[in-house]
Structures are given as structure tokens and as C-alpha cells.
């Protein structure tokens, strides 16, 4: 880590305040994980349901520290040619054509076949040098002169082979390219991996990371998050929104509303000039919180009761 980063990440409280200045309301547990990751130079594996702020943590951290954010979005079939590097085949082809045109000049003074082959052999490694290398997100992160925040997003969507490929990067902050060798980070990046628990990750990857689970926030923390992300909303309406969402999460639904849905709903109610929740308005906008028709039908039946409890202040 750079001296500038060390000067900002001085304590857990400083992390909480710094992330807050970037619009991210962090719990004590989150701030502790970030502080330890920076001091120990270890990646953080952040697990939890979708929409609770795992990706936003990396964005806020980069914003606060003034570092470049490099993001690798994982998906099935992702391999090193998309994640680490690939060769600039067009440039290699162009240089091959130039060499072909100049072949006579290159071999003009060779008196024997052995000398000619020796001269040609001297050009072979040029085509597999860093000049012809196209860096992808992982290699870009290693090459940043001031360091960066590397976000490996939704790593559980990648395959086990790619997970194994990440181990060298996560443990030694380096990557090996067969034609060139090992490339070590100029400045070790701050690495954040996120997972929605789509599949179980391997023990080898988990051992190399600090583990952090971000679940649904308790009411007071969620209210602070809404206040930060939707600054124009009245305190009373904010309290009702958080109370309603907290009660909604107690239902047996296919997908519970996450913090991101709470924020979207709060913004929508602000645009609609709502001052207090009522059953009709909640039903009209419930699709901002719930994404499945079965969930909408199940929740609609209980909307009047949940609205009444939210207005009274009961969670």
C-alpha cells in the first residue's frame, strides 16, 4: 500500500468516517475488515445477498482513497484471456509482415543456413514481449503505479478452474504469463471479491482472504443509509419506509428486498411527493421492492397491516 493510503487508513473509526464521506454507511464490522485488509495486505471476500452494498463498498473505498477502481465482472466461461491478458494479434501480424518485407535485408549477410536461422531466432521472442501484451483487468491492477482497488465481482458465477487461477494473484499479488514469466504488482492492490453464494467457494480461496458477510441491516443503520442516499426525504417518511421494508423481509418470499430496493423505493416516493405511507400507494409501487409476481401477490394481502404498523412505528 502507498504512504497516502496508510495516512488515511489509520484506525477503524477513520475507515467508518472515510467511507461515510464517500456516501457509504459502514457498520463497525465492515470498517474493521477494511482496516485489517489494508494493514495485513490481504484480500476481502464479501458474501451476502444481492443488493446489500458489496459492490458499493469497493466503489466507495476507491473514491475515499482517491484510487482507480478496476472491476472484473465474473461469469461462467471467464478465462485468463479475458481476465489477465491476451496478445495483440493484429500488431503481431503487422510486425510479421514488416519482417517479411525486410527479410532480405535481415538475412543478407548470412553465409550459411545456420547463421540465417540464428538471426531469425533472435526475432522470435519480440512477438511475445510486453510490447505486444494487451492487459486485462487483473494485469492492469498489478501495473498501477499508485495502486488501485481491484473489484472481482460475483466470483461465485465463475467456474472452479478460474477460482484456482486466482490463487497466485490473491496470495502473492503476482501473475505468471508463460512466455514472459511472473509479473509482480508495482503496488499491491486492495482486492475485494464479492459473492452472492451462488455456489460454495473453495477452501484455498477462502484461506487467502479475510471473510466479511454483509446481511440486511438493522433498522437504525438502514435509516442512516437511506438518509445518505436519498437526502431530500423527510425523517417521518424515512422511518415509515424502513419500518415497512423491515416487516416485508419477515415474510416467506422468494427474494427479499435488499437495501438497493429500499433506496429505489424511497427515491420513487420522493418523486411522487408522498409524505406518509398508505395502502393504495404502497400497492402501486410495491414492484420496486419485489421482483417476482408470486411475491407481489403474497405481500399485497398483508400490505394494510404492514402499512399500519410502519406508520405506528412498529417493526
Amino acid at each position: 500500500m502507498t504512504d497516502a493510503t496508510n495516512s488515511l487508513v489509520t484506525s477503524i473509526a477513520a475507515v467508518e468516517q472515510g467511507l461515510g464521506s464517500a456516501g457509504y454507511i459502514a457498520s463497525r464490522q465492515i470498517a474493521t475488515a477494511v482496516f485489517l485488509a489494508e494493514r495485513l495486505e490481504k484480500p476481502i471476500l464479501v458474501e451476502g445477498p444481492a443488493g446489500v452494498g458489496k459492490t458499493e463498498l469497493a466503489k466507495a473505498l476507491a473514491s475515499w482513497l482517491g484510487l482507480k477502481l478496476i472491476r472484473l465482472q465474473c461469469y461462467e466461461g471467464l478465462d485468463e484471456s479475458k481476465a489477465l491478458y491476451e496478445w495483440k494479434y493484429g500488431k503481431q501480424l503487422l510486425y510479421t509482415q514488416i519482417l517479411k518485407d525486410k527479410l532480405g535485408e535481415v538475412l543478407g549477410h548470412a553465409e550459411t543456413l545456420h547463421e540465417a536461422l540464428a538471426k531469425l531466432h533472435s526475432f522470435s521472442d519480440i512477438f511475445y514481449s510486453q510490447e505486444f501484451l494487451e492487459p486485462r483487468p487483473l494485469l492492469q491492477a498489478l501495473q498501477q503505479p499508485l495502486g488501485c482497488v481491484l473489484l472481482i465481482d460475483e466470483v461465485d458465477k465463475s467456474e472452479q478452474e478460474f477460482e484456482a487461477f486466482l490463487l497466485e494473484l490473491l496470495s502473492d499479488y503476482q501473475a505468471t504469463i508463460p512466455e514472459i514469466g511472473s509479473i509482480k504488482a508495482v503496488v499491491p492492490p486492495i482486492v475485494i471479491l464479492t459473492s452472492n453464494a451462488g455456489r460454495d467457494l473453495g477452501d484455498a480461496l477462502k484461506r487467502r482472504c479475510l471473510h466479511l458477510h454483509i446481511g440486511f441491516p438493522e433498522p437504525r443503520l438502514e435509516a442512516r443509509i437511506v438518509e445518505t442516499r436519498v437526502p431530500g426525504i423527510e425523517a417521518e417518511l424515512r422511518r415509515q419506509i424502513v419500518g415497512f421494508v423491515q416487516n416485508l423481509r419477515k415474510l416467506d418470499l422468494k427474494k427479499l428486498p435488499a437495501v438497493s430496493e429500499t433506496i429505489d423505493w424511497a427515491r420513487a416516493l420522493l418523486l411522487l411527493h408522498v409524505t406518509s405511507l398508505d395502502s393504495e400507494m404502497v400497492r402501486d409501487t410495491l414492484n420496486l421492492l419485489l421482483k417476482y409476481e408470486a411475491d407481489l401477490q403474497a405481500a399485497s394481502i398483508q400490505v394494510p397491516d404492514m402499512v399500519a404498523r410502519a406508520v405506528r412505528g412498529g417493526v
Side-chain angles (χ1 to χ4, degrees):
M1 307 301 170
T2 64
D3 292 338
T5 302
N6 285 330
S7 67
L8 291 173
V9 188
T10 55
S11 65
I12 296 171
V15 173
E16 281 190 78
Q17 185 176 358
L19 290 174
S21 69
Y24 188 93
I25 305 302
S27 66
R28 181 79 175 179
Q29 182 186 23
I30 293 173
T32 301
V34 171
F35 175 76
L36 292 176
E38 195 276 338
R39 292 297 175 177
L40 298 174
E41 293 192 352
K42 289 179 71 71
I44 308 175
L45 172 59
V46 189
E47 295 188 297
V52 294
K54 302 185 299 294
T55 300
E56 289 300 317
L57 173 60
K59 293 179 180 179
L61 188 58
S63 175
W64 167 46
L65 297 177
L67 296 176
K68 182 176 182 179
L69 175 68
I70 297 179
R71 179 175 181 173
L72 174 64
Q73 179 63 50
C74 296
Y75 54 88
E76 187 176 350
L78 178 65
D79 58 22
E80 64 183 73
S81 67
K82 298 295 188 295
L84 183 62
Y85 77 98
E86 66 177 344
W87 296 107
K88 299 177 181 178
Y89 297 112
K91 188 174 181 180
Q92 287 175 327
L93 187 62
L94 176 62
Y95 273 57
T96 302
Q97 186 61 46
I98 293 173
L99 179 59
K100 181 181 178 182
D101 294 341
K102 297 293 184 180
L103 198 58
E105 296 179 19
V106 172
L107 303 179
H109 300 291
E111 297 181 358
T112 65
L113 178 60
H114 180 73
E115 289 182 18
L117 290 175
K119 287 191 175 185
L120 283 176
H121 182 71
S122 68
F123 286 93
S124 61
D125 290 338
I126 295 176
F127 294 98
Y128 291 97
S129 62
Q130 293 207 34
E131 184 180 353
F132 291 90
L133 203 60
E134 183 67 53
R136 296 304 185 192
L138 298 183
L139 186 55
Q140 291 173 16
L142 298 179
Q143 293 174 334
Q144 296 302 310
L146 300 177
C148 68
V149 174
L150 172 60
L151 169 61
I152 304 176
D153 211 9
E154 296 184 315
V155 68
D156 55 315
K157 289 187 176 180
S158 65
E159 294 158 334
Q160 290 183 349
E161 292 78 7
F162 181 74
E163 183 183 323
F165 164 73
L166 287 175
L167 298 181
E168 181 184 14
L169 176 79
L170 298 178
S171 59
D172 301 323
Y173 294 106
Q174 70 176 30
T176 299
I177 298 173
E179 297 86 349
I180 295 176
S182 296
I183 299 178
K184 198 165 183 65
V186 178
V187 175
I190 299 173
V191 183
I192 294 181
L193 303 94
T194 72
S195 169
N196 296 332
R199 67 173 176 86
D200 290 335
L201 299 175
D203 291 340
L205 184 141
K206 289 187 174 183
R207 281 198 307 271
R208 287 162 171 79
C209 302
L210 297 178
H211 183 263
L212 172 65
H213 184 272
I214 301 179
F216 297 120
E218 49 86 21
R220 184 176 299 179
L221 179 58
E222 188 162 25
R224 288 180 59 204
I225 294 170
V226 173
E227 182 181 11
T228 301
R229 303 303 293 270
V230 193
I233 199 162
E234 294 293 333
E236 175 60 21
L237 179 59
R238 182 171 64 245
R239 181 190 63 77
Q240 293 178 18
I241 288 171
V242 171
F244 181 85
V245 173
Q246 292 278 334
N247 285 318
L248 194 59
R249 290 188 187 128
K250 295 179 181 179
L251 301 182
D252 184 18
L253 303 175
K254 184 175 181 179
K255 183 186 181 302
L256 300 178
V259 180
S260 57
E261 277 93 22
T262 306
I263 293 169
D264 288 343
W265 193 42
R267 287 172 176 162
L269 298 184
L270 188 63
L271 286 172
L272 295 172
H273 306 291
V274 173
T275 56
S276 181
L277 296 186
D278 65 73
S279 297
E280 182 179 0
M281 182 278 307
V282 169
R283 284 199 177 99
D284 289 343
T285 57
L286 197 58
N287 60 324
L288 289 166
L289 293 172
L290 303 176
K291 308 303 181 183
Y292 292 93
E293 183 61 29
D295 288 349
L296 285 168
Q297 292 178 4
S300 293
I301 300 172
Q302 302 193 45
V303 161
D305 180 56
M306 289 192 294
V307 168
R309 275 187 285 162
V311 171
R312 290 198 308 267
V315 178

